[in-house]
Amino acid sequence: TPVEPVLPLLCGWQMQPVHAKTQAQALQLMQHHKPFDLVMLDAHLDQPDEGFALAEQIKAHPQWQQARLLMLPSTTEVGNGR
């Protein structure tokens, strides 16, 4: 996933990342942890647009609405920026 390479960087910034590989796992983690300040999402997770669906669920939940969302693209293609 596009989030995995960022995890060591987040730890270096004294953040405590929690990684979920599926939408169901992410929702379960959010229910059992204190509210997250930042949620980084893979745009597609397991299915196309599943990350966007998860973002909508997060924003609709009263306890999670304050979380900042960062949507990452699901591509691993490297381009030249043109």
Side-chain angles (χ1 to χ4, degrees), residues 6-79:
V6 180
L7 294 177
L9 179 63
L10 297 176
C11 290
W13 291 340
Q14 305 303 311
M15 297 177 114
Q16 299 173 345
V18 178
H19 186 221
K21 293 189 178 200
T22 66
Q23 181 179 11
Q25 188 180 36
L27 290 171
Q28 183 179 16
L29 286 169
M30 292 190 74
Q31 290 172 351
H32 297 300
H33 284 81
K34 66 179 183 172
F36 291 97
D37 295 320
L38 173 66
V39 178
M40 297 174 67
L41 300 165
D42 177 344
H44 296 294
L45 288 171
D46 290 334
Q47 301 293 321
D49 295 330
E50 191 173 42
F52 292 100
L54 178 56
E56 288 178 11
Q57 287 182 283
I58 291 170
K59 286 302 180 181
H61 194 285
Q63 293 179 317
W64 305 336
Q65 290 176 345
Q66 299 302 317
R68 290 174 180 86
L69 303 181
L70 177 61
M71 188 69 67
L72 300 173
S74 294
T75 183
T76 57
E77 293 179 26
V78 177

